[in-house]
Amino acid sequence: MSNPEYILTLSCLDQRGIVHRVSGFLAEHGCNIIDSAQFGDSESKLFFMRVHFSLEDRDIDDELLRADFGLLAADMQLDWELRDAHYKPRVMLMVSKIGHCLNDLLFRYKSGLLPVEIPAIVSNHMDFYQLAASYNIPFHHLPLATGAPLEDKLAQEARIIELINNHKIDLVVLARYMQILSPGLCAALKGKAINIHHSFLPSFKGAKPYAQAHHRGVKLIGATAHFVTGDLDEGPIIEQDVERVDHSMDAETLSAIGRDVECVVLARAVKWFVEHRVLQNGAKTVVFK
C-alpha cells in the first residue's frame, strides 16, 4: 500500500523561521518532503510556499495531520490549504464558436497530460456538442441571444452556477467563451476561473483582433492566461507567451499562429492551477513551476 501524498500551499507575512517550522512539523509527523518551493516578496512583504510530501507514519491519519497543522497555522497566521496530491480537480470548460483551445484541452485530458476530471462542457452555441460527445462528456447548451436583456443573462448564469455546484467544480476554464461574465458571477468564481486572452498585452480588444494586429504591423503575437475578475481581461496573470511574426504574414497567418500560442498558454495555466502551483499575490500571481 502506497503512502498518502499531499500538497501544502501557504502564504503569510514574511517572518523568520517559516521553512524551519513547517519542515520541522512535517518531520515530527512522519512526513517525507518530495519537493518544496518558496518565495518571499519584498514588495508585499508576503511569503509563499508549496510543499509536496508523503505521510509515512501509519499512526497519523488525515484528520490528525490537518488538526495539528491548523494549530501551527493559527500560531503563525498562515493562509493555507492541504490537498490530496492524487485528487484530480473537477474542471468545467466553457466555449462559444471558436474551438481550438477546447479541442487542445480535451486531447491533453484524454491523453493523461492534464490530471483533471471534466464532468461538463458549457456553451452558448451548439457547434461543439459532437466534439463533447466524442469524449463522452455531457454538453450543456445555454443559449444567450445577442443583446439579450439583463434578466435573461442572469438566468443563464444561474444555470451555470447550478452546474458548478451540482458537479462540485473546482475550476472553470473559459476556453474562448465570448460572453462577458456579470460582476456577480465573477465574484462567485474568484480565484476559480481562468480565461485566455488573445494578446501578450491587453490590446486589440473587440472584433477581429488579428486583423487589427496585422493592420498595425505587429512583430509579436502573444497570449495571456489570467484569472477572471470583474475588470475585463485585467485579472492576475498566470502565464504568457509570444511568437515573432513579420511583414510577409497576412491576418489569417497571424490568427493561426495566435491559436497555437493560445492553446499552449492556456494549457500551461490550467495544469499549473490543478497542480496547486499558482498562488495569488494581490493583483499578481506566484507560480511555482
Side-chain angles (χ1 to χ4, degrees):
M1 183 177 178
S2 61
N3 295 318
E5 294 182 14
Y6 293 88
I7 295 175
L8 169 68
T9 56
L10 63 87
S11 63
C12 62
L13 284 175
D14 205 352
Q15 55 194 280
R16 195 173 303 148
I18 300 172
V19 175
H20 173 74
R21 293 188 67 180
V22 171
S23 59
F25 171 91
L26 295 176
E28 291 166 4
H29 285 71
C31 300
N32 180 48
I33 294 176
I34 298 171
D35 63 73
S36 178
Q38 54 274 331
F39 170 69
D41 187 342
S42 60
E43 294 182 4
S44 67
K45 309 301 182 186
L46 293 176
F47 179 86
F48 302 86
M49 189 173 184
R50 178 189 185 274
V51 186
H52 178 193
F53 65 90
S54 62
L55 176 58
E56 299 178 348
D57 189 336
R58 300 296 181 182
D59 294 326
I60 297 177
D61 61 14
D62 182 88
E63 184 177 358
L64 178 60
L65 181 68
R66 293 177 185 275
D68 284 359
F69 192 80
L71 297 175
L72 175 66
D75 181 58
M76 298 180 66
Q77 297 185 320
L78 305 180
D79 182 7
W80 64 285
E81 291 190 67
L82 183 62
R83 305 174 180 90
D84 179 350
H86 295 300
Y87 170 75
K88 291 184 177 181
R90 297 172 64 80
V91 176
M92 186 169 84
L93 304 179
M94 299 182 65
V95 65
S96 289
K97 294 176 71 69
I98 303 174
H100 55 282
C101 288
L102 174 67
N103 192 52
D104 180 76
L105 290 172
L106 290 175
F107 173 79
R108 292 172 191 268
Y109 153 73
K110 193 68 172 180
S111 303
L113 301 174
L114 201 57
V116 301
E117 298 292 346
I118 305 177
I121 296 173
V122 171
S123 181
N124 54 324
H125 297 280
M126 285 294 291
D127 297 56
F128 300 111
Y129 79 95
Q130 289 179 318
L131 177 62
S134 72
Y135 285 92
N136 199 29
I137 298 174
F139 181 88
H140 301 271
H141 180 219
L142 304 181
L144 189 64
T146 302
L150 178 60
E151 55 266 29
D152 289 355
K153 181 177 181 63
L154 296 180
Q156 188 240 24
E157 290 190 346
R159 285 285 293 118
I160 293 172
I161 293 173
E162 182 181 355
L163 288 169
I164 291 169
N165 293 335
N166 289 346
H167 290 290
K168 297 180 173 59
I169 297 299
D170 300 297
L171 174 67
V172 173
V173 178
L174 306 185
R176 295 306 301 269
Y177 181 70
M178 305 309 290
Q179 292 291 325
I180 297 174
L181 305 187
S182 71
L185 185 54
C186 289
L189 295 177
K190 182 178 180 182
K192 296 181 179 181
I194 293 175
N195 187 31
I196 185 69
H197 185 249
H198 49 67
S199 179
F200 181 59
L201 296 173
S203 56
F204 305 123
K205 296 181 180 180
K208 299 182 179 179
Y210 291 106
Q212 296 180 55
H214 176 66
H215 180 72
R216 290 286 302 276
V218 299
K219 307 305 179 189
L220 292 173
I221 288 295
T224 299
H226 59 88
F227 282 113
V228 173
T229 67
D231 296 321
L232 184 63
D233 295 328
E234 300 287 347
I237 293 169
I238 301 170
E239 173 63 341
Q240 295 179 292
D241 206 349
V242 294
E243 286 287 341
R244 185 161 291 280
V245 296
D246 63 39
H247 62 276
S248 67
M249 301 174 182
D250 59 19
E252 287 73 22
T253 302
L254 299 189
S255 181
I257 293 171
R259 287 193 296 269
D260 289 342
V261 180
E262 289 170 19
C263 289
V264 171
V265 169
L266 183 59
R268 286 178 191 157
V270 172
K271 188 171 190 292
W272 293 339
F273 180 93
V274 300
E275 291 178 347
H276 315 298
R277 299 181 181 278
V278 183
L279 285 72
Q280 290 202 52
N281 181 18
K284 300 185 291 184
T285 63
V286 173
V287 181
F288 292 121
K289 301 177 183 178

